[in-house]
Amino acid sequence: TCAANDVVHVYAKTTTLFELRIEKADGTAIVGAYTQGACPPTLVPGTSGAPTYGSQVGLYTKIGRLVTVQWFMTGARNTMVGTLSLSGLPFASTATANMYLGIALGLWYQVGGTTFTNMVGFLPPSSTTFNLYVQPTAADHIQVTLWNATDISANWQVGGSFSYMTD
């Protein structure tokens, strides 16, 4: 609850990033920091190579310990080899043991043609990188496998949004 003498501090870091902290007159925080900014995603092949990006956009909002991320990227497969992960989260996930976050990806295009029906990610504790998994179209729709560079068509699009907790 705010009283008449409580103070709101807004710190401008750049034109696209600011921080909000609501404090009591004695300096005690009422609401944790609010920040927002850019966090462009990076597709990381497990063995070697790198994609060429056509678009690589990511934005985040952090209120207290809760971080919400929105991102989108397009590119060409190029020389990528191995299983794929996505890095570039702005803050490490909570260090709570066994706290794995499942991430549903809202958009994928030409990242496997008809070889799978769903794409998900899993964010492990204390991490800014999550592994990407695909669900095959076979009769067993429960099993998922790590997304591999060989699953990607020459040109692809991937995007999504999700929230996670930090410490």
Side-chain angles (χ1 to χ4, degrees):
T1 305
C2 292
N5 293 331
D6 292 341
V7 179
V8 175
H9 295 279
V10 177
Y11 305 96
K13 294 187 176 183
T14 68
T15 57
T16 60
L17 174 65
F18 69 93
E19 186 173 300
L20 172 67
R21 182 175 170 92
I22 301 173
E23 301 175 339
K24 294 183 179 181
D26 65 3
T28 306
I30 296 173
V31 175
Y34 174 99
T35 60
Q36 64 181 23
C39 59
T42 302
L43 197 56
V44 180
T47 305
S48 65
T52 297
Y53 296 102
S55 177
Q56 193 178 7
V57 180
L59 301 172
Y60 75 88
T61 300
K62 181 176 187 257
I63 303 173
R65 295 179 49 221
L66 180 66
V67 181
T68 300
V69 176
Q70 300 171 339
W71 53 273
F72 177 76
M73 61 183 165
T74 65
R77 180 178 60 222
N78 286 350
T79 60
M80 290 191 300
V81 177
T83 58
L84 301 171
S85 59
L86 193 78
S87 70
L89 296 179
F91 305 94
S93 58
T94 183
T96 303
N98 300 314
M99 182 61 74
Y100 287 82
L101 172 66
I103 299 166
L105 300 178
L107 169 71
W108 68 93
Y109 177 70
Q110 293 186 339
V111 292
T114 58
T115 60
F116 61 89
T117 58
N118 199 8
M119 180 183 281
V120 297
F122 289 100
L123 177 62
S126 301
S127 183
T128 58
T129 300
F130 59 88
N131 293 322
L132 296 166
Y133 293 82
V134 293
Q135 184 179 32
T137 58
D140 181 7
H141 288 289
I142 297 171
Q143 181 179 355
V144 294
T145 58
L146 281 166
W147 189 30
N148 195 292
T150 57
D151 295 329
I152 300 177
S153 300
N155 297 297
W156 49 268
Q157 299 177 8
V158 179
S161 65
F162 62 94
S163 296
Y164 68 100
M165 297 296 288
T166 64
D167 286 332

